[in-house]
Amino acid sequence: MGNYKYHKIYNFTTNGNLEISTKVMEEIAIQAINKVEGATLPSKRTLLFDKKPVECLFKKNGDFVMTVNIRVAYGYNVGEVSNAVQERVSQDLLYMTEIRPRKVHVNIADVK
């Protein structure tokens, strides 16, 4: 198994503890990005300094922050696409894990 971080969810089940890997949340975000019209994941060449397309961060105060890097298709409004990505990622994470991200940062890596 990889070197993944896990987030424990309290009061979710009566049969034991539930922990969700950050890899799962990254994969949910990737699927959400692919559902937004005009947004795709950037190529590895486009991302600077070997960044991942999606990064999760749990802060010590319990806040969950996600950063996504996207490519916007030529002819689409960058602001509208980035807002749609933020909304879709937040909704899908809440629906599938019941974790609401405090913030979803969207970085435009490329326009193509």
Side-chain angles (χ1 to χ4, degrees), residues 12-90:
F12 192 85
T13 179
T14 57
N15 298 325
N17 293 333
L18 175 64
E19 295 181 352
I20 296 179
S21 166
T22 55
K23 178 70 175 162
V24 171
M25 291 186 274
E26 290 169 4
E27 203 52 47
I28 290 170
I30 288 170
Q31 296 303 318
I33 291 166
N34 289 330
K35 292 177 186 175
V36 175
E37 187 177 347
T40 58
L41 293 174
S43 65
K44 292 196 183 232
R45 281 186 304 154
T46 307
L47 292 174
L48 299 175
F49 308 114
D50 296 327
K51 287 186 178 181
K52 297 188 321 186
V54 178
E55 296 179 19
C56 299
L57 174 66
F58 285 97
K59 296 193 174 185
K60 289 185 180 184
N61 63 358
D63 287 346
F64 171 56
V65 178
M66 181 171 273
T67 303
V68 296
N69 298 294
I70 64 170
R71 170 188 278 173
V72 177
Y74 184 78
Y76 285 86
N77 184 309
V78 173
E80 290 175 5
V81 172
S82 62
N83 286 339
V85 166
Q86 283 178 322
E87 287 296 318
R88 187 64 186 231
V89 168
S90 294

